[in-house]
Amino acid sequence: MSRNEFSQVPGYYRLLIGDIEVICVNDGSLSSDINAVTGVSPEECGKLFAESFFPEEPRCTTNVFIIRSQGRTALVDAGGGPHLDTTAGKLFENAAAAGVSPKDIDTILFTHIHPDHVSGLLDSAGGRVFPHVTIKMARSEQLFWLSDKPASKEVEHVKHEADHVIRFLTPYADQIEPFVDGEVFPGVTVVPLPGHTPGHTGYLIKSNDEELLIWGDVVHWPIVQFRRPDAAMSYDVDPIQAAATRRRILEEAASSGRLVAGMHLFFPGLTRIRRDGGAFAMVPYPWGHADAIRSLQGQETVTSS
């Protein structure tokens, strides 16, 4: 089989958190650069990659998540659309395979509004993909990027992204509902995770004593940042705060056994965390057949003869 003939199964994975359905949807991958990591030398990064048998010039996985709760459907982040790498922007074809189209979405919850999270808002002609939705984000995130005189344009290592963010969010200005805290979708509450951006936000999904934390960009490169939690990224607005947030959330997840989901964790973006000396490691989340998941939830399964 030639490379031109090679294809992959659709990138989506379903799970149930109590009565709430979550669909992990892969948006593809983005080109990256080992020099994007700060606080750890390129040589040490290279060593960590080599120990994990991983290419030294990796591509960064990008995921989004769909939440179905009480008859409503939310999208957590919007991916890259047709505006970034050709290997990204796979959200819509993968979501379609899962039976979800843009018109089914009534709410978009943003973890933050970096380009790889908002560019799916506009189609290739610049039109709104979601003219009907309510968009929710932290008020501090809205103010940092979208105020009349946004602070993002004054931060040297961030300002190159500001115009992109403004261009993609301006058509939705009347649809944005900023929040400070609380429940923002049925069964979904806000978890502030500042540092990567001022309003970087996680979403805690809870139902029937089960829970999942969608933690956005707490981790970009799992091979590096679980082993070196203090390693930051060049696009962190406040790298010191981002590292402190990461270590705190990793500690909490390792103590509680909570399932977490991340936009840049290897698809399907799900893991538990364990301590590994003074650092951390991912605990693989086992793939579950839909019938097995329904059985665990006490639902009937349909058998064929």
Side-chain angles (χ1 to χ4, degrees):
M1 176 179 288
S2 72
R3 288 184 178 273
N4 290 335
E5 296 172 316
F6 182 82
S7 62
Q8 187 57 277
V9 296
Y12 72 89
Y13 180 82
R14 302 179 191 275
L15 72 158
L16 290 171
I17 305 300
D19 294 327
I20 298 175
E21 180 184 9
V22 178
I23 309 175
C24 315
V25 183
N26 184 247
D27 191 50
S29 63
L30 296 168
S31 59
S32 194
D33 182 351
I34 202 166
N35 294 302
V37 180
T38 64
V40 176
S41 70
E43 291 75 21
E44 184 168 3
C45 282
K47 180 182 178 182
L48 292 171
F49 283 126
E51 289 174 352
S52 298
F53 309 102
F54 211 74
E56 286 193 19
E57 294 298 331
R59 300 194 65 80
C60 185
T61 300
T62 59
N63 304 307
V64 300
F65 297 88
I66 295 169
I67 304 171
R68 285 173 161 166
S69 179
Q70 297 184 20
R72 295 177 55 191
T73 303
L75 179 66
V76 184
D77 292 346
H83 307 283
L84 303 179
D85 284 5
T86 57
T87 54
K90 311 300 183 185
L91 161 62
F92 300 113
E93 62 186 84
N94 286 329
V100 181
S101 71
K103 65 180 177 59
D104 297 321
I105 307 297
D106 61 73
T107 304
I108 298 178
L109 305 174
F110 276 116
T111 62
H112 63 298
I113 53 177
H114 270 157
D116 56 317
H117 298 254
V118 305
S119 296
L121 289 174
L122 301 182
D123 60 26
S124 58
R128 287 181 298 166
V129 176
F130 304 98
H132 56 290
V133 303
T134 298
I135 290 178
K136 298 187 178 184
M137 67 180 73
R139 183 177 298 279
S140 53
E141 189 75 356
Q142 180 193 35
L143 292 174
F144 182 74
W145 297 98
L146 302 174
S147 58
D148 291 339
K149 294 183 178 180
S152 55
K153 288 197 170 187
E154 305 301 322
V155 180
E156 187 63 31
H157 67 288
V158 171
K159 64 183 181 182
H160 66 284
E161 296 177 317
D163 288 339
H164 184 107
V165 170
I166 291 167
R167 178 163 69 92
F168 279 79
L169 269 299
T170 295
Y172 289 88
D174 294 337
Q175 296 168 241
I176 297 173
E177 292 184 4
F179 57 73
V180 176
D181 55 23
E183 186 176 74
V184 290
F185 193 75
V188 181
T189 56
V190 168
V191 179
L193 300 171
H196 181 52
T197 64
H200 185 239
T201 299
Y203 295 101
L204 182 61
I205 302 168
K206 296 184 70 171
S207 174
N208 297 344
D209 297 323
E210 297 182 25
E211 59 185 45
L212 167 70
L213 174 65
I214 300 176
W215 72 11
D217 284 12
V218 164
V219 168
H220 287 81
W221 282 8
I223 287 173
V224 174
Q225 291 178 297
F226 283 103
R227 295 279 299 279
R228 301 289 187 272
D230 295 334
M233 306 301 294
S234 60
Y235 25 86
D236 289 333
V237 175
D238 185 336
I240 294 175
Q241 187 179 42
T245 292
R246 178 166 40 259
R247 184 170 285 279
R248 172 175 60 82
I249 292 300
L250 290 172
E251 288 281 5
E252 289 177 2
S255 295
S256 67
R258 172 185 288 160
L259 183 63
V260 299
M263 278 51 191
H264 300 300
L265 299 181
F266 306 127
F267 180 76
L270 299 166
T271 192
R272 286 188 169 87
I273 312 297
R274 65 175 176 83
R275 292 183 179 84
D276 185 12
F280 302 89
M282 301 174 70
V283 178
Y285 178 78
W287 187 89
H289 190 278
D291 283 348
I293 293 172
R294 285 194 292 268
S295 177
L296 288 170
Q297 296 294 325
Q299 301 176 22
E300 290 187 6
T301 60
V302 178
T303 59
S304 58
S305 58

